[in-house]
Amino acid sequence: MKFVVKNTTKFGFLDLVCPHSCRGCGQLGDVLCDCCKKNLFLEIGGICPLCKRKVARNDKNDTIMKCEDCNLPFRAVLVGGWREGTLAKLIKDYKYQSVRAIGAVLVELLDEMIREEDLAKLGVEEMVVVPLPTIGKHVRQRGFDHTLGLAKKLAKRRGWKCEKLLRRKTDTVQVGSTMKQRQHQAEQAYEMMAPVDKRATYLLLDDIWTTGASALAAARVLRQAGAKKVIMAVLATGQAREEEK
């Protein structure tokens, strides 16, 4: 079997000799300037990734940042924003161009999304970050596991644990698949690598919610393994028109 390994050393060298440019305004200096970062963080809001409607924060313990009309297997669903504009550029360049510096910005965004007051209302005492597994073929092509990298950085920033509890059983690529195909593929994709702690809250982390098939399948596997509290955090979700294509 022939594996294609992407050499990312050149990106680190280029970062040293060539300055970054802001993915928002194009200004030289950082991958995201302070002004564009402020605007990006201000746009963080409640979005139901399933029905695409705005969701208001609620004082009820079981409905914080979660659509009451959609039956999602999470205690809360945290979404950074729509998959468009600056946020889409950041995710794309981090994921496909291996611009590692963007990872720090995305972790800052995740940190802003996950508010301590919300976690307190949910009764979170011990948080474990669980990255949604990346297809092995993609890890080899890109040279790193982008979701695992974000999960580790977020856990370190907040003093939480990060555990690779889920493993992919298949390397089926979902890009180009229909919603029904994605759902079928996702149902067979994951298995547990280690037991869960029923007292802990598990933060399932992914970069993009497209149809949600992968996230929902992963959540079901966690729950079947005994996880009682599961929260979903995703950087971006597509607009409804994208889901219909």
Side-chain angles (χ1 to χ4, degrees):
M1 183 180 295
K2 182 178 180 181
F3 296 112
V4 178
V5 180
K6 184 174 182 179
N7 183 357
T8 58
T9 303
K10 62 180 180 181
F11 293 105
F13 177 73
L14 288 174
D15 289 347
L16 292 174
V17 299
C18 301
H20 289 296
S21 61
C22 175
R23 268 57 181 180
C25 64
Q27 174 180 303
L28 290 179
D30 296 312
V31 293
L32 192 67
C33 70
D34 290 340
C35 181
C36 290
K37 183 185 294 184
K38 181 179 179 180
N39 291 334
L40 179 67
F41 289 1
L42 285 174
E43 292 174 2
I44 297 175
I47 303 171
C48 176
L50 198 60
C51 68
K52 310 302 178 185
R53 289 184 297 180
K54 290 285 186 179
V55 181
R57 292 184 185 273
N58 196 308
D59 288 333
K60 296 179 183 178
N61 286 345
D62 59 348
T63 57
I64 294 173
M65 300 305 288
K66 179 179 175 182
C67 179
E68 295 180 326
D69 297 326
C70 293
N71 185 25
L72 292 173
F74 308 105
R75 295 204 68 196
V77 184
L78 308 171
V79 181
W82 299 113
R83 186 184 179 183
E84 60 186 20
T86 301
L87 182 55
K89 290 179 183 177
L90 288 168
I91 296 172
K92 181 180 179 182
D93 286 355
Y94 171 68
K95 185 174 180 178
Y96 298 112
Q97 301 301 322
S98 300
V99 183
R100 306 297 179 91
I102 292 177
V105 175
L106 296 178
V107 168
E108 282 189 63
L109 176 61
L110 288 167
D111 192 43
E112 290 286 329
M113 290 163 50
I114 307 169
R115 305 195 313 179
E116 288 291 347
E117 51 264 45
D118 288 341
L119 298 182
K121 291 176 183 178
L122 289 169
V124 175
E125 296 181 359
E126 180 180 351
M127 182 75 88
V128 179
V129 185
V130 180
L132 199 69
T134 304
I135 294 174
K137 175 183 177 182
H138 289 168
V139 174
R140 293 188 293 271
Q141 288 176 336
R142 299 166 189 166
F144 75 125
D145 187 329
H146 68 288
T147 310
L148 177 60
L150 294 177
K152 287 182 175 180
K153 287 183 175 64
L154 176 63
K156 183 177 181 180
R157 185 183 182 98
R158 298 294 284 267
W160 296 335
K161 294 180 180 178
C162 176
E163 296 181 2
K164 290 180 62 177
L165 289 180
L166 296 168
R167 173 170 53 203
R168 289 196 69 102
K169 296 189 293 183
T170 65
D171 265 5
T172 305
V173 178
Q174 290 193 330
V175 175
S177 301
T178 64
M179 183 178 293
K180 288 184 177 180
Q181 289 172 331
R182 283 174 178 259
Q183 291 172 341
H184 178 70
Q185 292 165 358
E187 287 172 1
Q188 307 173 53
Y190 306 109
E191 64 182 0
M192 295 296 297
M193 294 178 63
V196 301
D197 182 348
K198 295 181 180 180
R199 299 168 299 178
T201 299
Y202 289 92
L203 178 70
L204 188 60
L205 179 64
D206 199 11
D207 59 342
I208 297 170
W209 178 298
T210 305
T211 64
S214 297
L216 294 173
R220 282 194 290 271
V221 172
L222 282 172
R223 286 191 167 278
Q224 289 169 3
K228 301 297 183 183
K229 303 175 183 178
V230 182
I231 296 173
M232 184 72 207
V234 61
L235 287 166
T237 183
Q239 297 277 17
R241 61 180 179 272
E242 294 182 2
E243 309 299 323
E244 298 170 357
K245 292 183 180 179

